[in-house]
């Protein structure tokens, strides 16, 4: 399958960090590339050029390689020897599996929330859903996608999961950036 040429990477949006934390350079790159993939600013098959990322984040190519390796472990990026890094292109079967797992997890979370959430927590969830509907009505795809991802983190917080827990972030990465 022919690869797309390396574009100017749409990653310049600064990422918020939790109060009192400062992610290291590798984490910043991983989070920015992940957000760009999930928000479809980086499409499947897009080449990720080490030097372009290094320049964009003002880091060495070694730090970029560390980030690309981590993204590869999360199956968001494919590393091809002598060719470079590319945004992963999941198959239709992989996309279906991801959505099946998400459906199971989300159903369990919602059932648990329905049994234990306070009125204030439910009001927060309703408010978030309203913002999602508004983003859909505006055809704001990146905003909608970000809100959808944030909703899963909000569900986890409603269930009392700590913010440091990686599982809501991992669930949010289980989106199909596209299928081949």
């Amino acid at each position: 399958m022919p690869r797309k040429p390396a574009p100017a990477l749409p990653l310049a949006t600064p990422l918020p960090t939790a109060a009192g934390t400062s992610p290291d350079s590798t984490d910043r790159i991983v989070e920015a590339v992940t957000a760009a993939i999930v928000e479809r600013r980086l499409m499947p098959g897009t080449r990720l050029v080490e030097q372009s990322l290094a320049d964009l984040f003002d880091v060495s190519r070694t730090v970029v390689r560390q980030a690309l390796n981590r993204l590869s472990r999360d199956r968001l990026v494919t590393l091809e020897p002598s060719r470079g890094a590319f945004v992963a292109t999941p198959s239709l079967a992989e996309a279906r599996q991801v959505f099946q797992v998400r459906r199971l997890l989300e159903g369990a979370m919602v059932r648990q929330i329905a049994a234990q959430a306070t009125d204030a927590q439910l009001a927060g969830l309703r408010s978030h859903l309203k913002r999602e509907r508004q983003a859909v009505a505006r055809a704001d795809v990146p905003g909608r996608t970000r809100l959808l991802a944030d909703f899963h983190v909000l569900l986890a917080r409603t269930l009392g999961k700590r913010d440091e827990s990686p599982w809501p972030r991992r669930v949010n990465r289980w989106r199909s950036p596209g299928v081949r």
Side-chain angles (χ1 to χ4, degrees):
M1 175 164 131
R3 296 292 184 176
K4 298 175 185 152
L9 296 173
L11 302 173
T13 305
L15 294 168
T17 59
T21 65
S22 59
D24 71 6
S25 297
T26 303
D27 290 339
R28 283 187 311 121
I29 296 168
V30 168
E31 293 301 322
V33 172
T34 297
I37 292 169
V38 168
E39 294 170 10
R40 300 185 64 79
R41 288 181 281 131
L42 285 175
M43 299 303 287
T46 301
R47 184 165 184 236
L48 302 172
V49 179
E50 285 181 10
Q51 189 60 55
S52 297
L53 288 167
D55 293 344
L56 181 64
F57 288 95
D58 194 28
V59 297
S60 70
R61 287 177 57 194
T62 300
V63 172
V64 170
R65 275 188 220 104
Q66 291 170 346
L68 292 173
N69 279 317
R70 192 179 311 165
L71 290 161
S72 175
R73 284 193 307 268
D74 287 342
R75 300 184 64 167
L76 291 173
V77 167
T78 303
L79 301 177
E80 297 182 15
S82 303
R83 297 204 54 214
F86 299 88
V87 174
T89 305
S91 68
L92 185 56
E94 289 169 324
R96 285 186 178 135
Q97 289 172 351
V98 164
F99 286 115
Q100 287 172 344
V101 169
R102 284 185 63 129
R103 189 176 312 127
L104 291 171
L105 290 173
E106 290 165 356
M109 291 169 67
V110 169
R111 283 188 296 280
Q112 200 173 354
I113 287 169
Q116 70 186 44
T118 65
D119 289 341
Q121 289 171 322
L122 292 173
L125 291 168
R126 285 185 189 106
S127 173
H128 190 92
L129 290 170
K130 181 180 179 182
R131 289 193 309 274
E132 282 185 25
R133 284 191 299 274
Q134 291 168 342
V136 169
R138 290 190 311 269
D140 177 5
V141 175
R144 179 203 68 204
T145 304
R146 192 170 27 261
L147 285 164
L148 286 169
D150 291 347
F151 184 70
H152 294 94
V153 174
L154 183 57
L155 289 176
R157 286 182 183 154
T158 302
L159 289 172
K161 304 295 182 202
R162 294 190 338 245
D163 291 344
E164 308 85 50
S165 172
W167 80 266
R169 288 188 303 277
R170 286 190 182 131
V171 169
N172 286 336
R173 290 179 183 168
W174 295 346
R175 287 185 200 290
S176 172
V179 293
R180 47 176 175 227

